[in-house]
Structure formats: structure tokens, C-alpha cells
Amino acid sequence: MDPIVVVLNGPNLNLLGTREPEFYGSETLADVEADCRRLGTELGLAIEFHQSNREYELIEWIHAARERAAGIVINPAAFTHTSVAILDALNAFEGPIIEVHISNVHKREPFRHHSYVSGVASGVIVGCGTQGYAFALHRIAKLIDKPKR
Ligand code: CA2
């Protein structure tokens, strides 16, 4: 069976492709999911893709990943900048974690420059548009071939 990679998306990312194309481009989250699934098949990864506007739901998916997933790709969206709870949940996950931001958060408001998640991530991909998810899956595929973090 292919190793499972859980791709998690935080609040408001369900609106992708509907507003603010200057930051987030024109792809919808359904397009991103389809791209991840296509690439997952190529890389031999079973993709589980989720989005929620609720912090607890993201935390529960991270907990569930402990039992069954080889890696996590996460765009925590605004929770990146606020959530110690998501950091704590990710700290309990033993496999590689790649943090993705579609926009270049470092070119934006100062409050977006700090991430609670980066300290636990194996890698961070910022400002590469929705292509960042593909980069993250390639990186996870490489990391799980080798001894973990
Ligand atoms: O650049 C990213 O991927 C972010 O994680 C996106 C978050 C933002 O709070 C982070 O600072 C950076 C916002 C996601 C909201 O996405 C929308 C997309 C289209 C329209 C409205 C919101």
C-alpha cells in the first residue's frame, strides 16, 4: 500500500480562486486537490486532502495522522500566525511536515512574518503559488525514502 500523506488546509482556503488573485492566483482548492492527487499517483503516495475553518478539526486530523500517515503537508492559513495548539499537535507527529504558503508572507504585513509552525516543520515553502503543494509532495516523497527527520 502507498504511504499516506495528509494535506491540510486552514481557514478561508475554501475561497481560493474566488478573490485576491494577486496573492493566491486563480486556481480553486478543488484544482489544488486534483493536482495533489495526480502527483500523488505519480510519486506513489496516497493523498488525504482536507480543509477546515475550525482549528479543532485540523488538530484532530493531525492526531489521526500519527497512527497512519507517513507525512503531513500543511497550509495552516491564518492559524500559522496564532496557533500554539496546532504547533503542539504537530510536535506529536513523528514524520516529516512541510509547511506551505501560497503567497510570500514575508512581502506582506508584519503579523504574517511569524509562524508558530515553522519551528516544527522539516521545510517551509513560501510564495510559490499553489505549485508549492507539488514541491512539498516531492520533498515528502524524498524524505520518507530515508530515515526520518
Ligand atoms: O499564503 C498563504 O497560503 C496563507 O497561508 C494564506 C492565508 C493567510 O492568512 C496567511 O497569512 C498566508 C489566508 C488564506 C485565505 O485564502 C483566501 C483565498 C482567496 C480569497 C480569500 C481568502
Side-chain angles (χ1 to χ4, degrees):
M1 235 179 63
D2 287 341
I4 295 171
V5 176
V6 177
V7 181
L8 296 177
N9 295 279
N12 299 307
L13 284 164
N14 54 311
L15 300 178
L16 210 61
T18 66
R19 286 179 42 219
E20 303 192 80
E22 67 283 12
F23 289 127
Y24 305 120
S26 56
E27 271 204 315
T28 65
L29 196 64
D31 296 330
V32 175
E33 178 173 359
D35 289 346
C36 286
R37 292 192 185 286
R38 240 185 325 267
L39 183 59
T41 305
E42 239 176 72
L43 296 173
L45 303 173
I47 303 298
E48 292 187 3
F49 194 98
H50 301 290
Q51 187 275 331
S52 183
N53 297 324
R54 301 179 178 93
E55 193 174 19
Y56 82 88
E57 222 161 9
L58 293 161
I59 290 167
E60 292 195 345
W61 284 322
I62 295 166
H63 291 175
R66 296 178 65 211
E67 307 294 316
R68 36 198 315 273
I72 295 178
V73 173
I74 184 165
N75 182 347
F79 292 147
T80 308
H81 319 299
T82 63
S83 182
V84 175
I86 288 178
L87 168 66
D88 287 346
L90 289 170
N91 259 320
F93 181 77
E94 288 184 356
I97 297 162
I98 305 291
E99 177 184 356
V100 172
H101 297 288
I102 299 167
S103 65
N104 181 353
V105 285
H106 301 292
K107 263 173 88 173
R108 300 181 65 189
E109 305 94 320
F111 67 83
R112 293 186 204 275
H113 298 178
H114 174 260
S115 164
Y116 280 100
V117 171
S118 296
V120 74
S122 310
V124 181
I125 297 165
V126 164
C128 296
T130 52
Q131 199 183 2
Y133 289 81
F135 296 153
L137 290 176
H138 276 285
R139 184 66 185 156
I140 296 254
K142 183 158 178 97
L143 290 174
I144 65 180
D145 250 342
K146 306 211 165 109
K148 307 258 163 77
R149 288 189 283 165

PDB file of all heavy atoms in Angstrom, residues 24-54:
ATOM      1  N   TYR A  24      -3.155  34.928  -4.277  1.00  0.00           N
ATOM      2  CA  TYR A  24      -3.381  33.477  -4.234  1.00  0.00           C
ATOM      3  C   TYR A  24      -3.584  32.832  -5.599  1.00  0.00           C
ATOM      4  O   TYR A  24      -3.783  31.623  -5.674  1.00  0.00           O
ATOM      5  CB  TYR A  24      -4.577  33.173  -3.324  1.00  0.00           C
ATOM      6  CG  TYR A  24      -4.432  33.750  -1.933  1.00  0.00           C
ATOM      7  CD1 TYR A  24      -5.351  34.673  -1.441  1.00  0.00           C
ATOM      8  CD2 TYR A  24      -3.364  33.383  -1.135  1.00  0.00           C
ATOM      9  CE1 TYR A  24      -5.213  35.211  -0.169  1.00  0.00           C
ATOM     10  CE2 TYR A  24      -3.209  33.917   0.139  1.00  0.00           C
ATOM     11  CZ  TYR A  24      -4.140  34.837   0.620  1.00  0.00           C
ATOM     12  OH  TYR A  24      -3.990  35.361   1.868  1.00  0.00           O
ATOM     13  N   GLY A  25      -3.544  33.634  -6.679  1.00  0.00           N
ATOM     14  CA  GLY A  25      -3.719  33.061  -8.017  1.00  0.00           C
ATOM     15  C   GLY A  25      -5.175  32.733  -8.305  1.00  0.00           C
ATOM     16  O   GLY A  25      -6.078  33.150  -7.571  1.00  0.00           O
ATOM     17  N   SER A  26      -5.402  31.981  -9.371  1.00  0.00           N
ATOM     18  CA  SER A  26      -6.789  31.767  -9.814  1.00  0.00           C
ATOM     19  C   SER A  26      -7.245  30.312  -9.661  1.00  0.00           C
ATOM     20  O   SER A  26      -8.405  29.993  -9.920  1.00  0.00           O
ATOM     21  CB  SER A  26      -6.940  32.211 -11.267  1.00  0.00           C
ATOM     22  OG  SER A  26      -5.999  31.511 -12.051  1.00  0.00           O
ATOM     23  N   GLU A  27      -6.356  29.432  -9.228  1.00  0.00           N
ATOM     24  CA  GLU A  27      -6.763  28.029  -9.010  1.00  0.00           C
ATOM     25  C   GLU A  27      -7.681  27.939  -7.798  1.00  0.00           C
ATOM     26  O   GLU A  27      -7.465  28.629  -6.781  1.00  0.00           O
ATOM     27  CB  GLU A  27      -5.523  27.163  -8.739  1.00  0.00           C
ATOM     28  CG  GLU A  27      -4.883  26.585  -9.979  1.00  0.00           C
ATOM     29  CD  GLU A  27      -4.074  25.326  -9.633  1.00  0.00           C
ATOM     30  OE1 GLU A  27      -3.339  25.348  -8.643  1.00  0.00           O
ATOM     31  OE2 GLU A  27      -4.211  24.345 -10.366  1.00  0.00           O
ATOM     32  N   THR A  28      -8.656  27.058  -7.870  1.00  0.00           N
ATOM     33  CA  THR A  28      -9.509  26.805  -6.710  1.00  0.00           C
ATOM     34  C   THR A  28      -8.858  25.713  -5.852  1.00  0.00           C
ATOM     35  O   THR A  28      -7.924  25.025  -6.297  1.00  0.00           O
ATOM     36  CB  THR A  28     -10.903  26.314  -7.146  1.00  0.00           C
ATOM     37  OG1 THR A  28     -10.734  25.042  -7.791  1.00  0.00           O
ATOM     38  CG2 THR A  28     -11.570  27.292  -8.102  1.00  0.00           C
ATOM     39  N   LEU A  29      -9.408  25.525  -4.649  1.00  0.00           N
ATOM     40  CA  LEU A  29      -8.870  24.466  -3.789  1.00  0.00           C
ATOM     41  C   LEU A  29      -9.140  23.090  -4.408  1.00  0.00           C
ATOM     42  O   LEU A  29      -8.335  22.170  -4.249  1.00  0.00           O
ATOM     43  CB  LEU A  29      -9.460  24.563  -2.379  1.00  0.00           C
ATOM     44  CG  LEU A  29      -8.695  23.759  -1.316  1.00  0.00           C
ATOM     45  CD1 LEU A  29      -7.266  24.290  -1.120  1.00  0.00           C
ATOM     46  CD2 LEU A  29      -9.434  23.755   0.014  1.00  0.00           C
ATOM     47  N   ALA A  30     -10.248  22.970  -5.141  1.00  0.00           N
ATOM     48  CA  ALA A  30     -10.540  21.703  -5.838  1.00  0.00           C
ATOM     49  C   ALA A  30      -9.469  21.435  -6.902  1.00  0.00           C
ATOM     50  O   ALA A  30      -9.058  20.277  -7.102  1.00  0.00           O
ATOM     51  CB  ALA A  30     -11.928  21.752  -6.454  1.00  0.00           C
ATOM     52  N   ASP A  31      -9.001  22.496  -7.581  1.00  0.00           N
ATOM     53  CA  ASP A  31      -7.899  22.335  -8.552  1.00  0.00           C
ATOM     54  C   ASP A  31      -6.635  21.857  -7.836  1.00  0.00           C
ATOM     55  O   ASP A  31      -5.922  20.971  -8.330  1.00  0.00           O
ATOM     56  CB  ASP A  31      -7.576  23.661  -9.260  1.00  0.00           C
ATOM     57  CG  ASP A  31      -8.714  24.195 -10.128  1.00  0.00           C
ATOM     58  OD1 ASP A  31      -9.484  23.377 -10.657  1.00  0.00           O
ATOM     59  OD2 ASP A  31      -8.816  25.436 -10.267  1.00  0.00           O
ATOM     60  N   VAL A  32      -6.358  22.465  -6.682  1.00  0.00           N
ATOM     61  CA  VAL A  32      -5.144  22.086  -5.919  1.00  0.00           C
ATOM     62  C   VAL A  32      -5.247  20.623  -5.496  1.00  0.00           C
ATOM     63  O   VAL A  32      -4.288  19.850  -5.611  1.00  0.00           O
ATOM     64  CB  VAL A  32      -4.960  23.001  -4.681  1.00  0.00           C
ATOM     65  CG1 VAL A  32      -3.781  22.532  -3.828  1.00  0.00           C
ATOM     66  CG2 VAL A  32      -4.774  24.453  -5.101  1.00  0.00           C
ATOM     67  N   GLU A  33      -6.431  20.246  -5.034  1.00  0.00           N
ATOM     68  CA  GLU A  33      -6.629  18.849  -4.617  1.00  0.00           C
ATOM     69  C   GLU A  33      -6.391  17.895  -5.795  1.00  0.00           C
ATOM     70  O   GLU A  33      -5.697  16.875  -5.655  1.00  0.00           O
ATOM     71  CB  GLU A  33      -8.039  18.658  -4.050  1.00  0.00           C
ATOM     72  CG  GLU A  33      -8.294  17.205  -3.665  1.00  0.00           C
ATOM     73  CD  GLU A  33      -9.611  16.982  -2.940  1.00  0.00           C
ATOM     74  OE1 GLU A  33     -10.356  17.959  -2.697  1.00  0.00           O
ATOM     75  OE2 GLU A  33      -9.886  15.812  -2.610  1.00  0.00           O
ATOM     76  N   ALA A  34      -6.958  18.242  -6.955  1.00  0.00           N
ATOM     77  CA  ALA A  34      -6.795  17.383  -8.142  1.00  0.00           C
ATOM     78  C   ALA A  34      -5.317  17.279  -8.512  1.00  0.00           C
ATOM     79  O   ALA A  34      -4.817  16.186  -8.824  1.00  0.00           O
ATOM     80  CB  ALA A  34      -7.621  17.928  -9.301  1.00  0.00           C
ATOM     81  N   ASP A  35      -4.586  18.415  -8.452  1.00  0.00           N
ATOM     82  CA  ASP A  35      -3.146  18.407  -8.756  1.00  0.00           C
ATOM     83  C   ASP A  35      -2.401  17.500  -7.774  1.00  0.00           C
ATOM     84  O   ASP A  35      -1.515  16.736  -8.171  1.00  0.00           O
ATOM     85  CB  ASP A  35      -2.553  19.822  -8.659  1.00  0.00           C
ATOM     86  CG  ASP A  35      -3.017  20.737  -9.797  1.00  0.00           C
ATOM     87  OD1 ASP A  35      -3.564  20.219 -10.791  1.00  0.00           O
ATOM     88  OD2 ASP A  35      -2.849  21.965  -9.664  1.00  0.00           O
ATOM     89  N   CYS A  36      -2.746  17.609  -6.487  1.00  0.00           N
ATOM     90  CA  CYS A  36      -2.069  16.786  -5.456  1.00  0.00           C
ATOM     91  C   CYS A  36      -2.349  15.307  -5.702  1.00  0.00           C
ATOM     92  O   CYS A  36      -1.454  14.462  -5.562  1.00  0.00           O
ATOM     93  CB  CYS A  36      -2.541  17.173  -4.061  1.00  0.00           C
ATOM     94  SG  CYS A  36      -1.884  18.750  -3.478  1.00  0.00           S
ATOM     95  N   ARG A  37      -3.584  14.980  -6.034  1.00  0.00           N
ATOM     96  CA  ARG A  37      -3.931  13.562  -6.265  1.00  0.00           C
ATOM     97  C   ARG A  37      -3.189  13.012  -7.481  1.00  0.00           C
ATOM     98  O   ARG A  37      -2.680  11.892  -7.450  1.00  0.00           O
ATOM     99  CB  ARG A  37      -5.443  13.384  -6.426  1.00  0.00           C
ATOM    100  CG  ARG A  37      -6.183  13.642  -5.140  1.00  0.00           C
ATOM    101  CD  ARG A  37      -7.629  13.198  -5.177  1.00  0.00           C
ATOM    102  NE  ARG A  37      -8.276  13.597  -3.936  1.00  0.00           N
ATOM    103  CZ  ARG A  37      -8.094  13.015  -2.758  1.00  0.00           C
ATOM    104  NH1 ARG A  37      -7.299  11.963  -2.643  1.00  0.00           N
ATOM    105  NH2 ARG A  37      -8.707  13.466  -1.679  1.00  0.00           N
ATOM    106  N   ARG A  38      -3.125  13.823  -8.563  1.00  0.00           N
ATOM    107  CA  ARG A  38      -2.397  13.403  -9.764  1.00  0.00           C
ATOM    108  C   ARG A  38      -0.932  13.143  -9.440  1.00  0.00           C
ATOM    109  O   ARG A  38      -0.383  12.092  -9.782  1.00  0.00           O
ATOM    110  CB  ARG A  38      -2.489  14.505 -10.831  1.00  0.00           C
ATOM    111  CG  ARG A  38      -3.168  14.041 -12.128  1.00  0.00           C
ATOM    112  CD  ARG A  38      -3.142  15.092 -13.224  1.00  0.00           C
ATOM    113  NE  ARG A  38      -3.256  16.472 -12.784  1.00  0.00           N
ATOM    114  CZ  ARG A  38      -4.406  17.139 -12.708  1.00  0.00           C
ATOM    115  NH1 ARG A  38      -5.545  16.561 -13.012  1.00  0.00           N
ATOM    116  NH2 ARG A  38      -4.416  18.413 -12.318  1.00  0.00           N
ATOM    117  N   LEU A  39      -0.320  14.084  -8.739  1.00  0.00           N
ATOM    118  CA  LEU A  39       1.095  13.942  -8.406  1.00  0.00           C
ATOM    119  C   LEU A  39       1.307  12.798  -7.413  1.00  0.00           C
ATOM    120  O   LEU A  39       2.296  12.064  -7.497  1.00  0.00           O
ATOM    121  CB  LEU A  39       1.631  15.264  -7.830  1.00  0.00           C
ATOM    122  CG  LEU A  39       3.108  15.290  -7.489  1.00  0.00           C
ATOM    123  CD1 LEU A  39       3.974  14.995  -8.722  1.00  0.00           C
ATOM    124  CD2 LEU A  39       3.497  16.651  -6.900  1.00  0.00           C
ATOM    125  N   GLY A  40       0.365  12.642  -6.484  1.00  0.00           N
ATOM    126  CA  GLY A  40       0.452  11.539  -5.522  1.00  0.00           C
ATOM    127  C   GLY A  40       0.529  10.201  -6.239  1.00  0.00           C
ATOM    128  O   GLY A  40       1.358   9.347  -5.897  1.00  0.00           O
ATOM    129  N   THR A  41      -0.297  10.025  -7.261  1.00  0.00           N
ATOM    130  CA  THR A  41      -0.289   8.779  -8.041  1.00  0.00           C
ATOM    131  C   THR A  41       1.090   8.573  -8.672  1.00  0.00           C
ATOM    132  O   THR A  41       1.652   7.482  -8.627  1.00  0.00           O
ATOM    133  CB  THR A  41      -1.380   8.832  -9.133  1.00  0.00           C
ATOM    134  OG1 THR A  41      -2.618   9.102  -8.483  1.00  0.00           O
ATOM    135  CG2 THR A  41      -1.480   7.547  -9.916  1.00  0.00           C
ATOM    136  N   GLU A  42       1.629   9.664  -9.247  1.00  0.00           N
ATOM    137  CA  GLU A  42       2.960   9.590  -9.877  1.00  0.00           C
ATOM    138  C   GLU A  42       4.049   9.212  -8.876  1.00  0.00           C
ATOM    139  O   GLU A  42       4.951   8.435  -9.192  1.00  0.00           O
ATOM    140  CB  GLU A  42       3.311  10.998 -10.392  1.00  0.00           C
ATOM    141  CG  GLU A  42       3.570  11.119 -11.870  1.00  0.00           C
ATOM    142  CD  GLU A  42       3.798  12.580 -12.201  1.00  0.00           C
ATOM    143  OE1 GLU A  42       4.856  13.128 -11.845  1.00  0.00           O
ATOM    144  OE2 GLU A  42       2.883  13.182 -12.804  1.00  0.00           O
ATOM    145  N   LEU A  43       3.951   9.775  -7.676  1.00  0.00           N
ATOM    146  CA  LEU A  43       5.014   9.588  -6.676  1.00  0.00           C
ATOM    147  C   LEU A  43       4.786   8.352  -5.805  1.00  0.00           C
ATOM    148  O   LEU A  43       5.623   8.027  -4.964  1.00  0.00           O
ATOM    149  CB  LEU A  43       5.106  10.827  -5.767  1.00  0.00           C
ATOM    150  CG  LEU A  43       5.520  12.147  -6.426  1.00  0.00           C
ATOM    151  CD1 LEU A  43       5.390  13.298  -5.435  1.00  0.00           C
ATOM    152  CD2 LEU A  43       6.951  12.062  -6.945  1.00  0.00           C
ATOM    153  N   GLY A  44       3.645   7.695  -5.985  1.00  0.00           N
ATOM    154  CA  GLY A  44       3.335   6.533  -5.147  1.00  0.00           C
ATOM    155  C   GLY A  44       2.941   6.924  -3.735  1.00  0.00           C
ATOM    156  O   GLY A  44       3.290   6.250  -2.760  1.00  0.00           O
ATOM    157  N   LEU A  45       2.182   8.013  -3.610  1.00  0.00           N
ATOM    158  CA  LEU A  45       1.697   8.470  -2.300  1.00  0.00           C
ATOM    159  C   LEU A  45       0.167   8.477  -2.321  1.00  0.00           C
ATOM    160  O   LEU A  45      -0.434   8.898  -3.307  1.00  0.00           O
ATOM    161  CB  LEU A  45       2.172   9.899  -2.013  1.00  0.00           C
ATOM    162  CG  LEU A  45       3.683  10.171  -2.044  1.00  0.00           C
ATOM    163  CD1 LEU A  45       3.959  11.667  -1.904  1.00  0.00           C
ATOM    164  CD2 LEU A  45       4.395   9.392  -0.934  1.00  0.00           C
ATOM    165  N   ALA A  46      -0.431   8.019  -1.235  1.00  0.00           N
ATOM    166  CA  ALA A  46      -1.893   8.084  -1.107  1.00  0.00           C
ATOM    167  C   ALA A  46      -2.231   9.411  -0.427  1.00  0.00           C
ATOM    168  O   ALA A  46      -1.853   9.652   0.729  1.00  0.00           O
ATOM    169  CB  ALA A  46      -2.395   6.912  -0.276  1.00  0.00           C
ATOM    170  N   ILE A  47      -2.921  10.275  -1.169  1.00  0.00           N
ATOM    171  CA  ILE A  47      -3.179  11.636  -0.667  1.00  0.00           C
ATOM    172  C   ILE A  47      -4.524  11.688   0.062  1.00  0.00           C
ATOM    173  O   ILE A  47      -5.549  11.267  -0.476  1.00  0.00           O
ATOM    174  CB  ILE A  47      -3.207  12.648  -1.835  1.00  0.00           C
ATOM    175  CG1 ILE A  47      -1.895  12.606  -2.633  1.00  0.00           C
ATOM    176  CG2 ILE A  47      -3.528  14.053  -1.332  1.00  0.00           C
ATOM    177  CD1 ILE A  47      -0.651  12.968  -1.862  1.00  0.00           C
ATOM    178  N   GLU A  48      -4.480  12.231   1.288  1.00  0.00           N
ATOM    179  CA  GLU A  48      -5.726  12.559   2.001  1.00  0.00           C
ATOM    180  C   GLU A  48      -5.753  14.075   2.124  1.00  0.00           C
ATOM    181  O   GLU A  48      -4.834  14.659   2.692  1.00  0.00           O
ATOM    182  CB  GLU A  48      -5.754  11.879   3.367  1.00  0.00           C
ATOM    183  CG  GLU A  48      -5.868  10.377   3.228  1.00  0.00           C
ATOM    184  CD  GLU A  48      -6.066   9.663   4.554  1.00  0.00           C
ATOM    185  OE1 GLU A  48      -6.170  10.326   5.608  1.00  0.00           O
ATOM    186  OE2 GLU A  48      -6.113   8.417   4.509  1.00  0.00           O
ATOM    187  N   PHE A  49      -6.779  14.694   1.563  1.00  0.00           N
ATOM    188  CA  PHE A  49      -6.803  16.155   1.409  1.00  0.00           C
ATOM    189  C   PHE A  49      -7.971  16.727   2.201  1.00  0.00           C
ATOM    190  O   PHE A  49      -9.112  16.288   2.035  1.00  0.00           O
ATOM    191  CB  PHE A  49      -6.950  16.465  -0.082  1.00  0.00           C
ATOM    192  CG  PHE A  49      -6.668  17.887  -0.467  1.00  0.00           C
ATOM    193  CD1 PHE A  49      -5.422  18.251  -0.967  1.00  0.00           C
ATOM    194  CD2 PHE A  49      -7.651  18.862  -0.362  1.00  0.00           C
ATOM    195  CE1 PHE A  49      -5.150  19.559  -1.349  1.00  0.00           C
ATOM    196  CE2 PHE A  49      -7.390  20.176  -0.736  1.00  0.00           C
ATOM    197  CZ  PHE A  49      -6.140  20.527  -1.238  1.00  0.00           C
ATOM    198  N   HIS A  50      -7.684  17.703   3.080  1.00  0.00           N
ATOM    199  CA  HIS A  50      -8.750  18.284   3.917  1.00  0.00           C
ATOM    200  C   HIS A  50      -8.612  19.801   4.011  1.00  0.00           C
ATOM    201  O   HIS A  50      -7.506  20.329   3.966  1.00  0.00           O
ATOM    202  CB  HIS A  50      -8.648  17.770   5.356  1.00  0.00           C
ATOM    203  CG  HIS A  50      -8.738  16.291   5.511  1.00  0.00           C
ATOM    204  ND1 HIS A  50      -9.891  15.580   5.307  1.00  0.00           N
ATOM    205  CD2 HIS A  50      -7.794  15.383   5.865  1.00  0.00           C
ATOM    206  CE1 HIS A  50      -9.669  14.298   5.542  1.00  0.00           C
ATOM    207  NE2 HIS A  50      -8.402  14.144   5.868  1.00  0.00           N
ATOM    208  N   GLN A  51      -9.746  20.448   4.212  1.00  0.00           N
ATOM    209  CA  GLN A  51      -9.763  21.884   4.540  1.00  0.00           C
ATOM    210  C   GLN A  51     -10.768  22.098   5.651  1.00  0.00           C
ATOM    211  O   GLN A  51     -11.841  21.483   5.658  1.00  0.00           O
ATOM    212  CB  GLN A  51     -10.170  22.718   3.312  1.00  0.00           C
ATOM    213  CG  GLN A  51     -10.062  24.243   3.496  1.00  0.00           C
ATOM    214  CD  GLN A  51     -11.289  24.879   4.140  1.00  0.00           C
ATOM    215  OE1 GLN A  51     -12.415  24.389   3.998  1.00  0.00           O
ATOM    216  NE2 GLN A  51     -11.103  25.966   4.863  1.00  0.00           N
ATOM    217  N   SER A  52     -10.411  22.980   6.602  1.00  0.00           N
ATOM    218  CA  SER A  52     -11.408  23.355   7.599  1.00  0.00           C
ATOM    219  C   SER A  52     -11.204  24.786   8.052  1.00  0.00           C
ATOM    220  O   SER A  52     -10.084  25.291   8.082  1.00  0.00           O
ATOM    221  CB  SER A  52     -11.348  22.441   8.820  1.00  0.00           C
ATOM    222  OG  SER A  52     -12.382  22.820   9.722  1.00  0.00           O
ATOM    223  N   ASN A  53     -12.325  25.408   8.441  1.00  0.00           N
ATOM    224  CA  ASN A  53     -12.271  26.736   9.041  1.00  0.00           C
ATOM    225  C   ASN A  53     -12.200  26.628  10.559  1.00  0.00           C
ATOM    226  O   ASN A  53     -12.148  27.645  11.249  1.00  0.00           O
ATOM    227  CB  ASN A  53     -13.499  27.546   8.605  1.00  0.00           C
ATOM    228  CG  ASN A  53     -13.498  27.767   7.101  1.00  0.00           C
ATOM    229  OD1 ASN A  53     -12.432  27.940   6.507  1.00  0.00           O
ATOM    230  ND2 ASN A  53     -14.660  27.732   6.474  1.00  0.00           N
ATOM    231  N   ARG A  54     -12.182  25.390  11.089  1.00  0.00           N
ATOM    232  CA  ARG A  54     -12.201  25.154  12.531  1.00  0.00           C
ATOM    233  C   ARG A  54     -10.870  24.580  12.993  1.00  0.00           C
ATOM    234  O   ARG A  54     -10.429  23.542  12.500  1.00  0.00           O
ATOM    235  CB  ARG A  54     -13.304  24.160  12.897  1.00  0.00           C
ATOM    236  CG  ARG A  54     -14.696  24.596  12.494  1.00  0.00           C
ATOM    237  CD  ARG A  54     -15.696  23.521  12.880  1.00  0.00           C
ATOM    238  NE  ARG A  54     -17.051  23.918  12.551  1.00  0.00           N
ATOM    239  CZ  ARG A  54     -17.650  23.609  11.395  1.00  0.00           C
ATOM    240  NH1 ARG A  54     -17.009  22.911  10.476  1.00  0.00           N
ATOM    241  NH2 ARG A  54     -18.888  23.997  11.166  1.00  0.00           N
TER     242      ARG A  54
END
